[in-house]
Amino acid sequence: MKKLTALLFLVPSLSFAQVELTTKMFEVIEVQKDNGKSRIEWVNADNIIPGDKVGYRISFKNNGTEPADNIVLNNPVPENTLYVADSARGANTKIEYSVNAGNDFGQPNELFIEKDGKKMPANAKDYTHVRWTLTKALASGESGSVQYVVQVK
Amino acid sequence: MDKIGGMRRTSFWACITVCMTLLSHLSHGLGTPAGTLIKNRASLDYTVAGNTLSTQSQEASIKVQELINVLVQSQDAGNSVLVPVGASQAALLFQITNNGNSDEAFALTQSDLTGDDFDIGVNFDQIYIDTDTSDGGRFNSLVDTLYDNASAPVLAPDESINVWAVSLNFPNGLAANEQADVQLDALAKTFEGSGSLPTYGDVITDGNASGVDAIYGSSPSNSKASAAFIIDNPLISVSIEQEILSILDTDGGDIARTGSEVTYQLTVTIEGAGGDATNIVITDPLPAELRLKNGASGMITLVGSGDYTAAVDGDLAEYNEVNNTIKVALPDLTVVTPAVQQFIRFTTIIQ
C-alpha cells in the first residue's frame, strides 16, 4: 500500500518536468556569393581555432500536457570566448545581458564596468551571461529556440 | 579534408572569401591554447501550474585545435644593410614570432629574389640565432648560435627570436647601390613533412599538440620576409691643388705686380673604389689683393666642360664680387679607380 501511495504522488511531479532544453553549436562563417553579396552560414563546428566564431542555438520544447509559463533561459558566455555584439536572437523574448557573473541583468545601455577605478559603459566583450525571458507561455507540444555567437579568444 | 575543403558546396569565389575571412580571424597573436575545451550549458527556469521548475541542457563542448601561425619580419632599418665592396661577410636580421596557440619550431631557409642587381647564390652561409646581447646589434659567429634545422628552437605562443641570415664573399666588381634581395622563409615543423608547402587552411590530423589537429593559418606574406644587401658608396676623397699657370704684367712680362694678370688652375682629384661622386662644389675665396679679371663679366673654365660666365646665372661657375669668391659646381662624376680629376682655370688681376 505504501508503494502505491508513493507512485500516486510521483505521477503529477513527472508531468511537471516537461520542458526539454538542447544546446547545439556551429561554426559561424561569412561566405561571399557569386553576385558579390555575402551571407553568414552556420556550419558544423570542426577544427575551431582562436579567432573563429562559434554559434550556439538553444532549443526548448514543452513535452508536457500543461503550458509552461515565466520561462527564463540563461546561458553563461563560455570561458575563453567573447560575446559577439548584437548576435543574440530569440522570437518573443526579452534579451538581457550581465557583466557581473549573472548577478544583475540589463539592456546594453544599462550595463557598466569598473576599469582603473572608473565606471565605464560596458561593451559586448564584457558580457558574462545572456538571458532570454519569453514574453508568452509555451503551450503543450510547442517549441522554440534562441541563439547567440561568441568568438574564441 | 582541409578546413577550406569543408566548404565544397560553395563556389570557388565563396571559398576565396572564406579564406579571407579566416585570414582576418587568424591574425591574432596569443590565443586560447590548443586542446582547451570550450564548454557551454544553458539553464531554463519556468512554472507549470504554479510550480517553479528548472532544467539544464546537455553540456556542449568543443576542443580548440592547434593554430599554426608565424610572422617573419625584417629588423634592419629600411629593410636593408650596407655592405662594403668586397666584404667577406654580411648579415640580415629577421624576427620570427610564433603567433599560433601552441609550441612550435620553424624550419628557416634563405634564398635569392629576382628583379634585383645581383644574387648571393652559392655564397649563402648559415643562419644564426641572435643570442649575444652584448655585441651592439652586430652579428658575431663566435657568440651567436648556429641555427640547426634538426634542433630548431621551440617557440611558445607569442614568443620571438631574432636570426641572422648570413652571406659571404661579396664580389669586387659590384658598383655602389647595387643590391641583392634576400628572402627568409619560416615553415612550421609540424607541416615540414607534408611533402609540399602548406597553404592557408591545410589541416594535419593530430598535429604537434596532443590530441588536436594542426591548422595552417599563416598567410603567405606573414611566413616570409625580405631584406636587401646594398653595396655601400665607396669612400670618396676629394683633394684640391692650386698652381699658377701664367703671369702677364702690363708691360708684357711675367712680373707679379699691380695690374698683372695671374692665371690659376685648381686641380680637383677625386679618389675612390668606384661609384658616383655627386654634388661636389669647389669654393675658392680669393685673397684681397686679387680680383677676377673682368669681375662678373669674366670667365671661368672647367676643362672638358666649357667656359662659363662668372655671373651668378645658374650655370656651373660663378664669381661673387662681394665675397671675392670663385664657386664651381662639378658635374656628376663616375669615379674610376684610382681617381678622376677636374681642372678649373680662371684669370685674376693683382690689385
Side-chain angles (χ1 to χ4, degrees), chain B residues 4 62 68 81 91 94 122 161 195 224 241 270-271 287 303 321:
Chain B
I4 307 304
I62 189 166
I68 303 292
V81 296
F94 293 92
V122 297
I161 55 169
K224 62 188 176 188
E241 291 181 10
I270 303 152
E271 296 178 281
V303 178
E321 289 186 290

Side-chain angles (χ1 to χ4, degrees), chain A residues 21-67:
Chain A
L21 196 61
T22 304
T23 297
K24 289 183 178 178
M25 59 190 170
F26 303 85
E27 182 177 358
V28 181
I29 60 173
E30 183 178 359
V31 177
Q32 186 156 354
K33 299 190 293 185
D34 291 338
N35 61 8
K37 295 181 178 178
S38 65
R39 67 170 183 269
I40 303 296
E41 286 191 0
W42 289 42
V43 300
N44 286 336
D46 55 355
N47 291 337
I48 291 295
I49 50 179
D52 280 348
K53 289 177 180 174
V54 176
Y56 291 104
R57 184 165 293 142
I58 305 152
S59 303
F60 45 87
K61 183 178 182 184
N62 186 351
N63 291 325
T65 56
E66 301 285 333

Side-chain angles (χ1 to χ4, degrees), chain B residues 46-109:
Chain B
Y46 60 102
T47 60
V48 173
N51 296 294
T52 301
L53 298 170
S54 297
T55 186
Q56 288 189 323
S57 72
Q58 89 290 6
E59 182 178 83
S61 69
I62 189 166
K63 191 178 284 186
V64 176
Q65 307 296 302
E66 181 183 5
L67 168 63
I68 303 292
N69 197 1
V70 63
L71 178 64
V72 184
Q73 294 172 298
S74 168
Q75 298 297 291
D76 293 309
N79 297 339
S80 64
V81 296
L82 294 173
V83 181
V85 172
S88 60
Q89 185 184 71
L92 298 168
L93 185 62
F94 293 92
Q95 185 175 66
I96 317 295
T97 303
N98 178 10
N99 276 342
N101 64 346
S102 182
D103 292 350
E104 186 67 37
F106 298 93
L108 306 179
T109 53

Side-chain angles (χ1 to χ4, degrees), chain A residues 16 18-19 23 25 29 31-32 34 45 47-52 56 69-72 74-75 78 80 153, chain B residues 3 7 11 14 17 25-26 32 36 40 43-48 51 53 57-58 61-62 65 101 213 215:
Chain A
F16 292 159
Q18 55 188 0
V19 179
T23 297
M25 59 190 170
I29 60 173
V31 177
Q32 186 156 354
D34 291 338
N47 291 337
I48 291 295
I49 50 179
D52 280 348
Y56 291 104
D69 215 346
N70 304 316
I71 296 176
V72 178
N74 192 349
N75 198 175
N80 294 304
K153 291 182 186 174
Chain B
K3 190 180 182 80
M7 300 302 299
S11 71
T17 304
H25 292 169
L26 301 185
T32 303
T36 301
N40 188 16
S43 62
L44 190 98
D45 297 323
Y46 60 102
T47 60
V48 173
N51 296 294
L53 298 170
S57 72
Q58 89 290 6
S61 69
I62 189 166
Q65 307 296 302
N101 64 346
D213 295 342
I215 300 169

Side-chain angles (χ1 to χ4, degrees), chain B residues 79-283:
Chain B
N79 297 339
S80 64
V81 296
L82 294 173
V83 181
V85 172
S88 60
Q89 185 184 71
L92 298 168
L93 185 62
F94 293 92
Q95 185 175 66
I96 317 295
T97 303
N98 178 10
N99 276 342
N101 64 346
S102 182
D103 292 350
E104 186 67 37
F106 298 93
L108 306 179
T109 53
Q110 52 180 338
S111 59
D112 279 307
L113 290 175
T114 58
D116 52 1
D117 300 311
F118 68 99
D119 287 338
I120 303 300
V122 297
N123 290 323
F124 274 125
D125 193 31
Q126 307 280 357
I127 295 171
Y128 288 79
I129 302 167
D130 183 22
T131 48
D132 177 28
T133 57
S134 62
D135 59 357
R138 289 184 294 275
F139 167 60
N140 186 337
S141 62
L142 299 178
V143 290
D144 291 318
T145 304
L146 181 65
Y147 167 82
D148 180 5
N149 186 39
S151 58
V154 175
L155 303 184
D158 231 22
E159 186 180 0
S160 296
I161 55 169
N162 284 353
V163 298
W164 295 105
V166 182
S167 295
L168 304 174
N169 303 327
F170 290 80
N172 275 315
L174 297 171
N177 298 320
E178 285 197 295
Q179 73 177 60
D181 295 327
V182 171
Q183 178 172 298
L184 186 80
D185 285 82
L187 173 62
K189 301 287 278 187
T190 298
F191 280 85
E192 193 179 22
S194 58
S196 58
L197 285 178
T199 57
Y200 190 84
D202 282 356
V203 176
I204 287 186
T205 303
D206 197 8
N208 185 41
S210 178
V212 294
D213 295 342
I215 300 169
Y216 193 76
S218 289
S219 69
S221 60
N222 284 353
S223 61
K224 62 188 176 188
S226 64
F229 292 114
I230 299 178
I231 300 303
D232 198 2
N233 270 313
L235 183 63
I236 291 176
S237 66
V238 178
S239 61
I240 304 172
E241 291 181 10
Q242 177 178 283
E243 61 181 314
I244 296 174
L245 291 183
S246 65
I247 298 175
L248 177 63
D249 63 33
T250 52
D251 296 327
D254 57 0
I255 299 172
R257 63 188 185 197
T258 300
S260 295
E261 295 183 5
V262 182
T263 300
Y264 285 92
Q265 175 170 283
L266 305 181
T267 301
V268 183
T269 302
I270 303 152
E271 296 178 281
D276 295 329
T278 60
N279 301 317
I280 297 178
V281 177
I282 307 300
T283 303

